Amino acid sequence: MPAIVLVGAQWGDEGKGKATDLMGPDVDYVVKFNGGNNAGHTIVIDGEKYALHLLPSGILTPTCTPVIGNGVVIDLEVLFREIDGLEARGVSTDKLVVSANAHIIAPYNRTLDRVTERFLGSRKIGTTGRGIGPTYADKMSRNGIRVQDLFDHHILEQKVEAALALKNQILTKIYNRRAISVTEVMDELLPYAARLAPMVADTTRVLERALDEGKNVLLEAGQATLLDVDHGTYPYVTSSSATAGGACTGSGIPPTRITRVIAILKAYTTRVGEGPFPTELFDADGEFLRTTGFEFGTTTGRPRRCGWLDTVIGRYATRINGVTDFVITKLDVLTGLDTVPICVAYDVDGVRHDEMPVNQSDFHHAKPVYEELAGWSEDLSDIRRFEDLPAAAQAYVLRVEELIGARVSAIGVGPGREQIISRHPLLD
Ligand code: GDP
Ligand code: IMO
Ligand code: MG
């Protein structure tokens, strides 16, 4: 019956993978509905670390069926490398279902992503270089390659030919790169077709049936609210719909079947790549968060930009996604601070903004207005009940809850699957 959406509240890397994983056995289907291998989710089970990019986090739960929805873009080499890597570690990927309508990241899109960034120079987005933007651009301009095209040699050839007619002009004439041949692209994509075929389905039907049978379906976002192409800090965003609305278009599950929206909020803020970030820290506190929180990208290894928690963003995430429950992650990382600042509003040229400014230039100039809360020194990693948290940590969570306008149902106190404090069940 219920479809539940799980999104990131900030700029990604909030711990969505861990949150999905911890619901594990109670969830029957986990659907990735947007993004591709720009995502990186680290999940720690019994001290073993798994880094997932393209596969839904549910792949680590044997009872769960992982689904790659139509809203995802797939790099076939990465998909099979990830599958082989998990199989080699004894994780079965047999249940994986892939939408026939998902788009394929063609080699020319990876090339275009990288050369465009180089061309932009100081105006670059700081993409992951995985071909994500150009592949979504092709989808929207209706010259993309879809999973189903792989199974008809003739159709695939025609589509690649049509795409390359334009891409090669751009590659050779604007970027001064060599042209890519149709054969090259076919030779890269076609060998995967036979292996992919048994996984491919009309995932909209699979999910409809699952919901009719009363199964729990979790729709897991890649990226996050402020990286969403419509609602994020455009143009410093990814090219897909990472907010709750994207869960419907990216999976084919209608809005009327969604009963809950869970947002993951890191107890501080991080961002990878370029773009505005009001609470960013350039001092020892920023270094403390990066080192203690181990804030280095799962996908590109880049150090993440770090700053204090921004509840203007939290409130915005509540509003845009219709959040019913928050999971606050990495509370343990804040241990040892004398005071913990929370951004409650912005000052833009002397004017106070309590809500996210619609005008990007205001957001660029926003100076955080902080409220200072008392810190705590106790190690939180073994705490499993809210009442056992130090009083200052409890006060921090309760104040954040008040500021973001939706209840905090769980709190992460370490990377491990079991390192969680539950306040309200995430599944009914
Ligand atoms: P995702 O992209 O949203 O799935 O997040 P990432 O996996 O990229 O980054 C989150 C990182 O924080 C991972 O290394 C997790 O193992 C780790 N993590 C998740 N929850 C917690 C937590 O509550 N405490 C600590 N210390 N680490 C956590
Ligand atoms: P998860 O799912 C953090 C960022 C990139 C860049 C911008 C556009 O792990 O939270 P893209 O390659 O998508 O065109 O890059 O988006 N970005 C992420 N940042 N976490 C992610 O995913 C991200 N996926 C993309 O750094 O700024
Ligand atoms: Mg990540």
Side-chain angles (χ1 to χ4, degrees), residues 53-68:
H53 299 285
L54 201 41
L55 295 170
S57 307
I59 197 104
L60 299 175
T61 304
T63 50
C64 182
T65 301
V67 178
I68 294 182

Side-chain angles (χ1 to χ4, degrees), residues 28-109:
D28 303 297
Y29 289 77
V30 173
V31 188
K32 182 178 166 90
F33 64 79
N34 75 303
N37 56 311
N38 46 349
H41 309 303
T42 301
I43 297 160
V44 183
I45 304 171
D46 298 331
E48 278 236 31
K49 208 165 166 175
Y50 297 87
L52 300 174
H53 299 285
L54 201 41
L55 295 170
S57 307
I59 197 104
L60 299 175
T61 304
T63 50
C64 182
T65 301
V67 178
I68 294 182
N70 56 277
V72 172
V73 292
I74 303 176
D75 184 319
L76 291 166
E77 194 210 326
V78 173
L79 176 69
F80 287 111
R81 205 189 318 134
E82 209 162 303
I83 288 175
D84 290 343
L86 287 179
E87 291 284 347
R89 294 174 73 178
V91 178
S92 169
T93 57
D94 289 354
K95 289 184 165 180
L96 178 67
V97 189
V98 178
S99 166
N101 285 346
H103 280 245
I104 300 288
I105 301 178
Y108 44 81
N109 285 333

Side-chain angles (χ1 to χ4, degrees), residues 12-13 16 39-41 298 304:
D13 304 325
K16 298 177 290 294
H41 309 303
T298 311
R304 295 173 182 154

Side-chain angles (χ1 to χ4, degrees), residues 12-18 40-44 298 304 329-333 412-415 419:
D13 304 325
E14 296 90 350
K16 298 177 290 294
K18 176 188 158 171
H41 309 303
T42 301
I43 297 160
V44 183
T298 311
R304 295 173 182 154
T329 56
K330 299 193 127 176
L331 188 66
D332 52 302
V333 174
V413 289
Q419 288 179 297

Side-chain angles (χ1 to χ4, degrees), residues 16 98 125-126 136 341 346 378 380 409-410:
K16 298 177 290 294
V98 178
I125 305 294
Y136 279 113
Y346 301 137
E378 296 87 340
L380 309 185
S409 294

Side-chain angles (χ1 to χ4, degrees), residues 136-156:
Y136 279 113
D138 281 359
K139 172 177 174 173
M140 289 304 176
S141 55
R142 296 157 295 186
N143 56 2
I145 312 286
R146 296 195 293 177
V147 163
Q148 56 183 284
D149 301 329
L150 292 172
F151 308 115
D152 186 319
H153 186 286
H154 187 61
I155 287 182
L156 181 67

